[in-house]
Amino acid sequence: EPGCFQEDNRKIVATINNANGTIRGPENSFCSDEYVLEPDEKVESRPLGAFIPCKLTEEFQVDGTRVVFSGYVYESFETEDICADFFEITEIRLSNP
């Protein structure tokens, strides 16, 4: 059940399952005020290549944390200047070293 970005009437454009990635803090990402989820493999339909996660809990707000994640990628509008795609986390866990 989608729970993020509903107030903007955004549609889900992709679903990601068990992808590996790295959390980038505001000091080390191209989004100055946001934590960003950077997947190891880029999603072809999402040219920005990174996600602004909704519902990123405090335990995962650590720059450089390796994670496995699943969730929904939401559409962005042509009028927006965004640094990463909108993403709702449905599952996230630390990656095994």
Side-chain angles (χ1 to χ4, degrees), residues 24-83:
R24 299 286 179 212
E27 66 279 2
N28 284 322
S29 80
F30 30 85
C31 295
S32 58
D33 298 332
E34 305 276 355
Y35 280 88
V36 172
L37 189 48
E38 191 173 87
D40 290 353
E41 293 182 21
K42 304 296 183 221
V43 179
E44 288 180 24
S45 64
R46 309 312 313 158
L48 294 172
F51 304 117
I52 297 174
C54 167
K55 300 183 181 175
L56 183 66
T57 60
E58 198 169 304
E59 71 178 295
F60 291 104
Q61 292 180 11
V62 178
D63 184 62
T65 300
R66 296 284 300 150
V67 295
V68 177
F69 64 96
S70 299
Y72 304 122
V73 180
Y74 285 83
E75 70 181 339
S76 55
F77 303 122
E78 289 183 18
T79 56
E80 295 176 303
D81 182 16
I82 58 173
C83 56

